[in-house]
Amino acid sequence: MTVTETETTAEGGTDSCAGPRQGNRRPDGADKYTISEVVALTGLTAHTLRWYERIGLMPHIDRSHTGQRRYSNRDLDWLDLVGKLRLTGMPVADMVRYAELVRSGDDTYTERFELLRQTREDVLTRIAELQGTLAVLDRKLGFYADAGRALASERTG
């Protein structure tokens, strides 16, 4: 299995690389996107896409007969997952490790599970921190709203 492939699990579900498929995609089999098309679809830069390939995060990009990169829908799915992992704050080294584990095959499920479980814990911690920060902001906003009403009342009274 390559990094960007999906597979059907024993329970009959699909272990997909990302969320629901994005619109404006070609049917599988006709899904050969140039780097500029992937830039337009993903919002990533061509430099970032090349860097992902160089560091091993996207190592299986097909090439045309002239050597131009040709991305598939599976590659787009993988890029979507990488984007989600970036939002979690996962270090790039861990993303590369995850990609290596996926490429290594089924024997790495436990390691992949642990890596994603730890990332989930980190996300939950960040959410709790952000909720605390939001509560402070809400208190400050309430203070300034009350102070603003008091000042306005003094000026008109």
Side-chain angles (χ1 to χ4, degrees), residues 22-42:
Q22 305 157 355
N24 301 326
R25 296 175 102 187
R26 298 177 184 135
D28 289 340
D31 56 337
K32 298 299 177 198
Y33 302 93
T34 64
I35 198 165
S36 59
E37 290 172 319
V38 173
V39 164
L41 286 168
T42 65

Side-chain angles (χ1 to χ4, degrees), residues 70-85:
R70 293 291 184 232
Y71 295 84
S72 68
N73 286 331
R74 288 181 175 177
D75 296 326
L76 295 179
D77 289 342
W78 180 255
L79 288 169
D80 189 45
L81 174 64
V82 167
K84 300 289 190 285
L85 294 177

Side-chain angles (χ1 to χ4, degrees), residues 17 27 44 49 51 59 80 86 88 96 121 139 155:
C17 290
L44 296 170
L49 292 168
W51 181 65
D80 189 45
R86 285 178 54 219
T88 70
V96 171
E121 289 299 316
R139 283 193 302 275
R155 289 183 184 152

Side-chain angles (χ1 to χ4, degrees), residues 5-21:
E5 287 185 80
T6 60
E7 73 176 31
T8 303
T9 63
E11 297 79 30
T14 300
D15 177 17
S16 67
C17 290
R21 291 202 173 223

Side-chain angles (χ1 to χ4, degrees), residues 69-113:
R69 289 169 179 84
R70 293 291 184 232
Y71 295 84
S72 68
N73 286 331
R74 288 181 175 177
D75 296 326
L76 295 179
D77 289 342
W78 180 255
L79 288 169
D80 189 45
L81 174 64
V82 167
K84 300 289 190 285
L85 294 177
R86 285 178 54 219
L87 287 174
T88 70
M90 179 186 272
V92 172
D94 286 349
M95 287 188 263
V96 171
R97 177 70 182 136
Y98 181 76
E100 290 168 349
L101 290 170
V102 171
R103 285 192 302 273
S104 293
D106 295 349
D107 294 342
T108 64
Y109 277 2
T110 302
E111 290 175 82
R112 287 186 249 172
F113 176 86

